[in-house]
Each structure stands twice: as structure tokens, then as C-alpha cells.
PDB file of all heavy atoms in Angstrom:
ATOM      1  N   GLY A1004     -20.333 -18.561  -1.427  1.00 96.00           N
ATOM      2  CA  GLY A1004     -20.778 -18.134  -2.745  1.00 96.00           C
ATOM      3  C   GLY A1004     -21.430 -16.771  -2.751  1.00 96.00           C
ATOM      4  O   GLY A1004     -21.669 -16.195  -3.820  1.00 96.00           O
ATOM      5  N   GLY A1005     -21.718 -16.243  -1.571  1.00 96.00           N
ATOM      6  CA  GLY A1005     -22.382 -14.953  -1.464  1.00 96.00           C
ATOM      7  C   GLY A1005     -21.412 -13.786  -1.573  1.00 96.00           C
ATOM      8  O   GLY A1005     -20.214 -13.963  -1.738  1.00 96.00           O
ATOM      9  N   SER A1006     -21.987 -12.591  -1.467  1.00 96.00           N
ATOM     10  CA  SER A1006     -21.197 -11.373  -1.612  1.00 96.00           C
ATOM     11  C   SER A1006     -21.354 -10.473  -0.398  1.00 96.00           C
ATOM     12  O   SER A1006     -22.358 -10.542   0.315  1.00 96.00           O
ATOM     13  CB  SER A1006     -21.646 -10.605  -2.868  1.00 96.00           C
ATOM     14  OG  SER A1006     -21.421 -11.368  -4.035  1.00 96.00           O
ATOM     15  N   LEU A1007     -20.362  -9.620  -0.224  1.00 95.00           N
ATOM     16  CA  LEU A1007     -20.376  -8.663   0.875  1.00 95.00           C
ATOM     17  C   LEU A1007     -19.526  -7.489   0.445  1.00 95.00           C
ATOM     18  O   LEU A1007     -18.521  -7.671  -0.251  1.00 95.00           O
ATOM     19  CB  LEU A1007     -19.786  -9.306   2.136  1.00 95.00           C
ATOM     20  CG  LEU A1007     -20.111  -8.713   3.506  1.00 95.00           C
ATOM     21  CD1 LEU A1007     -21.601  -8.834   3.786  1.00 95.00           C
ATOM     22  CD2 LEU A1007     -19.315  -9.433   4.578  1.00 95.00           C
ATOM     23  N   ARG A1008     -19.921  -6.281   0.843  1.00 97.00           N
ATOM     24  CA  ARG A1008     -19.102  -5.118   0.547  1.00 97.00           C
ATOM     25  C   ARG A1008     -18.725  -4.418   1.841  1.00 97.00           C
ATOM     26  O   ARG A1008     -19.588  -4.045   2.624  1.00 97.00           O
ATOM     27  CB  ARG A1008     -19.821  -4.135  -0.370  1.00 97.00           C
ATOM     28  CG  ARG A1008     -18.887  -3.009  -0.853  1.00 97.00           C
ATOM     29  CD  ARG A1008     -19.530  -2.069  -1.838  1.00 97.00           C
ATOM     30  NE  ARG A1008     -20.327  -1.054  -1.200  1.00 97.00           N
ATOM     31  CZ  ARG A1008     -20.621   0.134  -1.725  1.00 97.00           C
ATOM     32  NH1 ARG A1008     -20.135   0.430  -2.931  1.00 97.00           N
ATOM     33  NH2 ARG A1008     -21.373   0.996  -1.095  1.00 97.00           N
ATOM     34  N   LEU A1009     -17.439  -4.244   2.030  1.00 97.00           N
ATOM     35  CA  LEU A1009     -16.933  -3.517   3.181  1.00 97.00           C
ATOM     36  C   LEU A1009     -16.632  -2.073   2.784  1.00 97.00           C
ATOM     37  O   LEU A1009     -16.212  -1.811   1.664  1.00 97.00           O
ATOM     38  CB  LEU A1009     -15.657  -4.164   3.707  1.00 97.00           C
ATOM     39  CG  LEU A1009     -15.734  -5.633   4.106  1.00 97.00           C
ATOM     40  CD1 LEU A1009     -14.390  -6.102   4.642  1.00 97.00           C
ATOM     41  CD2 LEU A1009     -16.831  -5.867   5.124  1.00 97.00           C
ATOM     42  N   SER A1010     -16.841  -1.178   3.733  1.00 97.00           N
ATOM     43  CA  SER A1010     -16.520   0.235   3.527  1.00 97.00           C
ATOM     44  C   SER A1010     -15.564   0.691   4.615  1.00 97.00           C
ATOM     45  O   SER A1010     -15.635   0.230   5.755  1.00 97.00           O
ATOM     46  CB  SER A1010     -17.785   1.092   3.579  1.00 97.00           C
ATOM     47  OG  SER A1010     -18.702   0.722   2.579  1.00 97.00           O
ATOM     48  N   CYS A1011     -14.700   1.607   4.248  1.00 97.00           N
ATOM     49  CA  CYS A1011     -13.765   2.188   5.206  1.00 97.00           C
ATOM     50  C   CYS A1011     -13.803   3.703   5.021  1.00 97.00           C
ATOM     51  O   CYS A1011     -13.354   4.219   3.987  1.00 97.00           O
ATOM     52  CB  CYS A1011     -12.356   1.670   4.965  1.00 97.00           C
ATOM     53  SG  CYS A1011     -11.080   2.495   5.941  1.00 97.00           S
ATOM     54  N   ALA A1012     -14.352   4.383   6.015  1.00 96.00           N
ATOM     55  CA  ALA A1012     -14.469   5.832   5.948  1.00 96.00           C
ATOM     56  C   ALA A1012     -13.314   6.476   6.706  1.00 96.00           C
ATOM     57  O   ALA A1012     -13.075   6.147   7.874  1.00 96.00           O
ATOM     58  CB  ALA A1012     -15.802   6.276   6.535  1.00 96.00           C
ATOM     59  N   ALA A1013     -12.629   7.388   6.044  1.00 93.00           N
ATOM     60  CA  ALA A1013     -11.503   8.092   6.669  1.00 93.00           C
ATOM     61  C   ALA A1013     -11.966   9.426   7.242  1.00 93.00           C
ATOM     62  O   ALA A1013     -12.922  10.028   6.749  1.00 93.00           O
ATOM     63  CB  ALA A1013     -10.400   8.317   5.648  1.00 93.00           C
ATOM     64  N   SER A1014     -11.264   9.878   8.268  1.00 91.00           N
ATOM     65  CA  SER A1014     -11.662  11.101   8.971  1.00 91.00           C
ATOM     66  C   SER A1014     -11.232  12.365   8.234  1.00 91.00           C
ATOM     67  O   SER A1014     -11.638  13.458   8.619  1.00 91.00           O
ATOM     68  CB  SER A1014     -11.069  11.113  10.385  1.00 91.00           C
ATOM     69  OG  SER A1014      -9.645  11.056  10.325  1.00 91.00           O
ATOM     70  N   ARG A1015     -10.391  12.205   7.216  1.00 87.00           N
ATOM     71  CA  ARG A1015      -9.978  13.352   6.421  1.00 87.00           C
ATOM     72  C   ARG A1015      -9.799  12.919   4.977  1.00 87.00           C
ATOM     73  O   ARG A1015      -9.943  11.750   4.654  1.00 87.00           O
ATOM     74  CB  ARG A1015      -8.687  13.965   6.972  1.00 87.00           C
ATOM     75  CG  ARG A1015      -7.456  13.076   6.874  1.00 87.00           C
ATOM     76  CD  ARG A1015      -6.211  13.891   7.169  1.00 87.00           C
ATOM     77  NE  ARG A1015      -4.973  13.123   7.149  1.00 87.00           N
ATOM     78  CZ  ARG A1015      -4.294  12.853   6.045  1.00 87.00           C
ATOM     79  NH1 ARG A1015      -4.733  13.254   4.869  1.00 87.00           N
ATOM     80  NH2 ARG A1015      -3.149  12.171   6.120  1.00 87.00           N
ATOM     81  N   SER A1016      -9.468  13.849   4.142  1.00 85.00           N
ATOM     82  CA  SER A1016      -9.313  13.566   2.728  1.00 85.00           C
ATOM     83  C   SER A1016      -8.281  12.467   2.492  1.00 85.00           C
ATOM     84  O   SER A1016      -7.218  12.459   3.089  1.00 85.00           O
ATOM     85  CB  SER A1016      -8.881  14.833   1.983  1.00 85.00           C
ATOM     86  OG  SER A1016      -8.576  14.528   0.636  1.00 85.00           O
ATOM     87  N   ILE A1017      -8.625  11.546   1.607  1.00 85.00           N
ATOM     88  CA  ILE A1017      -7.700  10.465   1.270  1.00 85.00           C
ATOM     89  C   ILE A1017      -6.986  10.748  -0.044  1.00 85.00           C
ATOM     90  O   ILE A1017      -6.216   9.924  -0.521  1.00 85.00           O
ATOM     91  CB  ILE A1017      -8.426   9.105   1.173  1.00 85.00           C
ATOM     92  CG1 ILE A1017      -9.451   9.120   0.016  1.00 85.00           C
ATOM     93  CG2 ILE A1017      -9.097   8.768   2.490  1.00 85.00           C
ATOM     94  CD1 ILE A1017     -10.066   7.750  -0.253  1.00 85.00           C
ATOM     95  N   PHE A1018      -7.230  11.933  -0.591  1.00 82.00           N
ATOM     96  CA  PHE A1018      -6.679  12.231  -1.905  1.00 82.00           C
ATOM     97  C   PHE A1018      -5.166  12.093  -1.934  1.00 82.00           C
ATOM     98  O   PHE A1018      -4.594  11.603  -2.897  1.00 82.00           O
ATOM     99  CB  PHE A1018      -7.094  13.647  -2.327  1.00 82.00           C
ATOM    100  CG  PHE A1018      -6.595  14.041  -3.686  1.00 82.00           C
ATOM    101  CD1 PHE A1018      -7.165  13.504  -4.826  1.00 82.00           C
ATOM    102  CD2 PHE A1018      -5.546  14.944  -3.840  1.00 82.00           C
ATOM    103  CE1 PHE A1018      -6.715  13.855  -6.090  1.00 82.00           C
ATOM    104  CE2 PHE A1018      -5.090  15.303  -5.097  1.00 82.00           C
ATOM    105  CZ  PHE A1018      -5.678  14.753  -6.216  1.00 82.00           C
ATOM    106  N   ARG A1019      -4.495  12.504  -0.861  1.00 84.00           N
ATOM    107  CA  ARG A1019      -3.034  12.486  -0.850  1.00 84.00           C
ATOM    108  C   ARG A1019      -2.461  11.307  -0.077  1.00 84.00           C
ATOM    109  O   ARG A1019      -1.265  11.217   0.115  1.00 84.00           O
ATOM    110  CB  ARG A1019      -2.503  13.794  -0.261  1.00 84.00           C
ATOM    111  CG  ARG A1019      -2.824  15.009  -1.118  1.00 84.00           C
ATOM    112  CD  ARG A1019      -2.104  16.258  -0.649  1.00 84.00           C
ATOM    113  NE  ARG A1019      -2.447  17.410  -1.466  1.00 84.00           N
ATOM    114  CZ  ARG A1019      -1.885  17.671  -2.629  1.00 84.00           C
ATOM    115  NH1 ARG A1019      -0.934  16.884  -3.107  1.00 84.00           N
ATOM    116  NH2 ARG A1019      -2.258  18.736  -3.317  1.00 84.00           N
ATOM    117  N   ILE A1020      -3.319  10.406   0.351  1.00 86.00           N
ATOM    118  CA  ILE A1020      -2.830   9.225   1.058  1.00 86.00           C
ATOM    119  C   ILE A1020      -2.208   8.279   0.040  1.00 86.00           C
ATOM    120  O   ILE A1020      -2.815   7.960  -0.978  1.00 86.00           O
ATOM    121  CB  ILE A1020      -3.967   8.528   1.829  1.00 86.00           C
ATOM    122  CG1 ILE A1020      -4.408   9.424   2.997  1.00 86.00           C
ATOM    123  CG2 ILE A1020      -3.510   7.175   2.337  1.00 86.00           C
ATOM    124  CD1 ILE A1020      -5.512   8.833   3.836  1.00 86.00           C
ATOM    125  N   ASN A1021      -0.999   7.836   0.332  1.00 88.00           N
ATOM    126  CA  ASN A1021      -0.235   7.044  -0.634  1.00 88.00           C
ATOM    127  C   ASN A1021      -0.945   5.766  -1.045  1.00 88.00           C
ATOM    128  O   ASN A1021      -1.055   5.442  -2.222  1.00 88.00           O
ATOM    129  CB  ASN A1021       1.142   6.703  -0.053  1.00 88.00           C
ATOM    130  CG  ASN A1021       1.970   7.938   0.215  1.00 88.00           C
ATOM    131  OD1 ASN A1021       1.861   8.938  -0.484  1.00 88.00           O
ATOM    132  ND2 ASN A1021       2.787   7.895   1.244  1.00 88.00           N
ATOM    133  N   ALA A1022      -1.410   5.038  -0.063  1.00 93.00           N
ATOM    134  CA  ALA A1022      -2.056   3.760  -0.360  1.00 93.00           C
ATOM    135  C   ALA A1022      -3.048   3.432   0.738  1.00 93.00           C
ATOM    136  O   ALA A1022      -2.846   3.782   1.907  1.00 93.00           O
ATOM    137  CB  ALA A1022      -1.015   2.652  -0.462  1.00 93.00           C
ATOM    138  N   MET A1023      -4.085   2.777   0.341  1.00 95.00           N
ATOM    139  CA  MET A1023      -5.073   2.282   1.303  1.00 95.00           C
ATOM    140  C   MET A1023      -5.383   0.850   0.945  1.00 95.00           C
ATOM    141  O   MET A1023      -5.250   0.433  -0.220  1.00 95.00           O
ATOM    142  CB  MET A1023      -6.341   3.124   1.281  1.00 95.00           C
ATOM    143  CG  MET A1023      -6.103   4.563   1.732  1.00 95.00           C
ATOM    144  SD  MET A1023      -7.632   5.477   1.956  1.00 95.00           S
ATOM    145  CE  MET A1023      -8.291   4.705   3.438  1.00 95.00           C
ATOM    146  N   GLY A1024      -5.782   0.099   1.950  1.00 96.00           N
ATOM    147  CA  GLY A1024      -6.045  -1.294   1.643  1.00 96.00           C
ATOM    148  C   GLY A1024      -6.782  -2.010   2.748  1.00 96.00           C
ATOM    149  O   GLY A1024      -7.251  -1.385   3.715  1.00 96.00           O
ATOM    150  N   TRP A1025      -6.877  -3.283   2.547  1.00 98.00           N
ATOM    151  CA  TRP A1025      -7.549  -4.161   3.505  1.00 98.00           C
ATOM    152  C   TRP A1025      -6.631  -5.328   3.847  1.00 98.00           C
ATOM    153  O   TRP A1025      -6.019  -5.920   2.958  1.00 98.00           O
ATOM    154  CB  TRP A1025      -8.848  -4.699   2.911  1.00 98.00           C
ATOM    155  CG  TRP A1025      -9.879  -3.656   2.691  1.00 98.00           C
ATOM    156  CD1 TRP A1025     -10.071  -2.892   1.576  1.00 98.00           C
ATOM    157  CD2 TRP A1025     -10.872  -3.244   3.626  1.00 98.00           C
ATOM    158  NE1 TRP A1025     -11.115  -2.019   1.754  1.00 98.00           N
ATOM    159  CE2 TRP A1025     -11.632  -2.228   3.003  1.00 98.00           C
ATOM    160  CE3 TRP A1025     -11.210  -3.627   4.919  1.00 98.00           C
ATOM    161  CZ2 TRP A1025     -12.701  -1.592   3.636  1.00 98.00           C
ATOM    162  CZ3 TRP A1025     -12.278  -3.006   5.545  1.00 98.00           C
ATOM    163  CH2 TRP A1025     -13.015  -1.993   4.916  1.00 98.00           C
ATOM    164  N   HIS A1026      -6.554  -5.608   5.131  1.00 97.00           N
ATOM    165  CA  HIS A1026      -5.888  -6.790   5.633  1.00 97.00           C
ATOM    166  C   HIS A1026      -6.943  -7.634   6.338  1.00 97.00           C
ATOM    167  O   HIS A1026      -8.024  -7.140   6.661  1.00 97.00           O
ATOM    168  CB  HIS A1026      -4.783  -6.421   6.616  1.00 97.00           C
ATOM    169  CG  HIS A1026      -3.575  -5.801   5.978  1.00 97.00           C
ATOM    170  ND1 HIS A1026      -3.609  -4.585   5.344  1.00 97.00           N
ATOM    171  CD2 HIS A1026      -2.306  -6.229   5.864  1.00 97.00           C
ATOM    172  CE1 HIS A1026      -2.412  -4.289   4.886  1.00 97.00           C
ATOM    173  NE2 HIS A1026      -1.594  -5.270   5.192  1.00 97.00           N
ATOM    174  N   ARG A1027      -6.619  -8.869   6.603  1.00 98.00           N
ATOM    175  CA  ARG A1027      -7.526  -9.707   7.378  1.00 98.00           C
ATOM    176  C   ARG A1027      -6.741 -10.636   8.287  1.00 98.00           C
ATOM    177  O   ARG A1027      -5.582 -10.957   8.008  1.00 98.00           O
ATOM    178  CB  ARG A1027      -8.459 -10.506   6.467  1.00 98.00           C
ATOM    179  CG  ARG A1027      -7.766 -11.604   5.657  1.00 98.00           C
ATOM    180  CD  ARG A1027      -8.755 -12.251   4.699  1.00 98.00           C
ATOM    181  NE  ARG A1027      -8.127 -13.294   3.891  1.00 98.00           N
ATOM    182  CZ  ARG A1027      -8.730 -13.928   2.886  1.00 98.00           C
ATOM    183  NH1 ARG A1027      -9.976 -13.611   2.566  1.00 98.00           N
ATOM    184  NH2 ARG A1027      -8.088 -14.863   2.216  1.00 98.00           N
ATOM    185  N   GLN A1028      -7.399 -11.028   9.348  1.00 98.00           N
ATOM    186  CA  GLN A1028      -6.779 -11.954  10.295  1.00 98.00           C
ATOM    187  C   GLN A1028      -7.799 -12.994  10.706  1.00 98.00           C
ATOM    188  O   GLN A1028      -8.830 -12.655  11.314  1.00 98.00           O
ATOM    189  CB  GLN A1028      -6.241 -11.215  11.517  1.00 98.00           C
ATOM    190  CG  GLN A1028      -5.433 -12.099  12.446  1.00 98.00           C
ATOM    191  CD  GLN A1028      -4.628 -11.312  13.454  1.00 98.00           C
ATOM    192  OE1 GLN A1028      -4.892 -10.137  13.708  1.00 98.00           O
ATOM    193  NE2 GLN A1028      -3.604 -11.947  14.025  1.00 98.00           N
ATOM    194  N   ALA A1029      -7.510 -14.225  10.363  1.00 96.00           N
ATOM    195  CA  ALA A1029      -8.362 -15.348  10.742  1.00 96.00           C
ATOM    196  C   ALA A1029      -7.890 -15.881  12.086  1.00 96.00           C
ATOM    197  O   ALA A1029      -6.741 -15.686  12.478  1.00 96.00           O
ATOM    198  CB  ALA A1029      -8.292 -16.436   9.676  1.00 96.00           C
ATOM    199  N   PRO A1030      -8.767 -16.574  12.813  1.00 91.00           N
ATOM    200  CA  PRO A1030      -8.381 -17.123  14.121  1.00 91.00           C
ATOM    201  C   PRO A1030      -7.145 -18.008  14.012  1.00 91.00           C
ATOM    202  O   PRO A1030      -7.083 -18.897  13.164  1.00 91.00           O
ATOM    203  CB  PRO A1030      -9.609 -17.933  14.530  1.00 91.00           C
ATOM    204  CG  PRO A1030     -10.733 -17.292  13.811  1.00 91.00           C
ATOM    205  CD  PRO A1030     -10.176 -16.836  12.496  1.00 91.00           C
ATOM    206  N   GLY A1031      -6.162 -17.739  14.850  1.00 94.00           N
ATOM    207  CA  GLY A1031      -4.951 -18.543  14.880  1.00 94.00           C
ATOM    208  C   GLY A1031      -3.978 -18.281  13.761  1.00 94.00           C
ATOM    209  O   GLY A1031      -2.972 -18.989  13.633  1.00 94.00           O
ATOM    210  N   LYS A1032      -4.248 -17.275  12.935  1.00 96.00           N
ATOM    211  CA  LYS A1032      -3.372 -16.982  11.806  1.00 96.00           C
ATOM    212  C   LYS A1032      -2.859 -15.552  11.885  1.00 96.00           C
ATOM    213  O   LYS A1032      -3.401 -14.707  12.588  1.00 96.00           O
ATOM    214  CB  LYS A1032      -4.114 -17.201  10.485  1.00 96.00           C
ATOM    215  CG  LYS A1032      -4.506 -18.640  10.246  1.00 96.00           C
ATOM    216  CD  LYS A1032      -5.055 -18.818   8.845  1.00 96.00           C
ATOM    217  CE  LYS A1032      -5.376 -20.279   8.559  1.00 96.00           C
ATOM    218  NZ  LYS A1032      -5.895 -20.467   7.176  1.00 96.00           N
ATOM    219  N   GLN A1033      -1.795 -15.286  11.129  1.00 97.00           N
ATOM    220  CA  GLN A1033      -1.251 -13.943  11.087  1.00 97.00           C
ATOM    221  C   GLN A1033      -2.114 -13.057  10.191  1.00 97.00           C
ATOM    222  O   GLN A1033      -2.800 -13.530   9.290  1.00 97.00           O
ATOM    223  CB  GLN A1033       0.185 -13.987  10.550  1.00 97.00           C
ATOM    224  CG  GLN A1033       1.190 -14.603  11.513  1.00 97.00           C
ATOM    225  CD  GLN A1033       2.615 -14.457  11.028  1.00 97.00           C
ATOM    226  OE1 GLN A1033       2.869 -14.427   9.828  1.00 97.00           O
ATOM    227  NE2 GLN A1033       3.556 -14.352  11.950  1.00 97.00           N
ATOM    228  N   ARG A1034      -2.023 -11.760  10.458  1.00 96.00           N
ATOM    229  CA  ARG A1034      -2.719 -10.802   9.611  1.00 96.00           C
ATOM    230  C   ARG A1034      -2.062 -10.804   8.221  1.00 96.00           C
ATOM    231  O   ARG A1034      -0.842 -10.840   8.105  1.00 96.00           O
ATOM    232  CB  ARG A1034      -2.656  -9.396  10.221  1.00 96.00           C
ATOM    233  CG  ARG A1034      -3.540  -8.375   9.556  1.00 96.00           C
ATOM    234  CD  ARG A1034      -3.538  -7.047  10.292  1.00 96.00           C
ATOM    235  NE  ARG A1034      -4.075  -7.178  11.640  1.00 96.00           N
ATOM    236  CZ  ARG A1034      -4.367  -6.135  12.409  1.00 96.00           C
ATOM    237  NH1 ARG A1034      -4.184  -4.898  11.954  1.00 96.00           N
ATOM    238  NH2 ARG A1034      -4.840  -6.309  13.618  1.00 96.00           N
ATOM    239  N   GLU A1035      -2.896 -10.775   7.197  1.00 97.00           N
ATOM    240  CA  GLU A1035      -2.377 -10.817   5.836  1.00 97.00           C
ATOM    241  C   GLU A1035      -3.022  -9.743   4.976  1.00 97.00           C
ATOM    242  O   GLU A1035      -4.167  -9.353   5.205  1.00 97.00           O
ATOM    243  CB  GLU A1035      -2.661 -12.194   5.198  1.00 97.00           C
ATOM    244  CG  GLU A1035      -4.125 -12.529   5.066  1.00 97.00           C
ATOM    245  CD  GLU A1035      -4.373 -13.826   4.300  1.00 97.00           C
ATOM    246  OE1 GLU A1035      -3.411 -14.445   3.806  1.00 97.00           O
ATOM    247  OE2 GLU A1035      -5.556 -14.209   4.192  1.00 97.00           O
ATOM    248  N   LEU A1036      -2.255  -9.303   3.985  1.00 97.00           N
ATOM    249  CA  LEU A1036      -2.775  -8.326   3.044  1.00 97.00           C
ATOM    250  C   LEU A1036      -3.806  -8.980   2.139  1.00 97.00           C
ATOM    251  O   LEU A1036      -3.576 -10.063   1.608  1.00 97.00           O
ATOM    252  CB  LEU A1036      -1.639  -7.751   2.197  1.00 97.00           C
ATOM    253  CG  LEU A1036      -2.055  -6.834   1.055  1.00 97.00           C
ATOM    254  CD1 LEU A1036      -2.646  -5.546   1.584  1.00 97.00           C
ATOM    255  CD2 LEU A1036      -0.873  -6.546   0.138  1.00 97.00           C
TER     256      LEU A1036
END
């Protein structure tokens, strides 16, 4: 029920990067979008 905020800092400008996102992988499972 709680909240958390993740941050992802890029080493250069992300202005022209097509897409950015988050994936996750739980134990024993495949990585998912």
C-alpha cells in the first residue's frame, strides 16, 4: 500500500532519446516491461 519513487539519471541529454522506460525482474521470472 506504500509508495516509492525511482529515478534514472542519464549521462547525456535524453531530449533526442526515442523512448525510455522501466522493466522489472522478479526472482524466477522473466524481465518484463
Side-chain angles (χ1 to χ4, degrees):
S1006 297
L1007 201 64
R1008 188 176 82 156
L1009 303 182
S1010 300
C1011 172
S1014 60
R1015 66 168 178 84
S1016 173
I1017 64 172
F1018 181 73
R1019 294 189 181 278
I1020 291 181
N1021 297 328
M1023 296 189 71
W1025 293 90
H1026 288 65
R1027 69 185 179 187
Q1028 187 166 18
K1032 295 188 176 181
Q1033 289 188 330
R1034 190 174 297 191
E1035 62 174 356
L1036 173 68

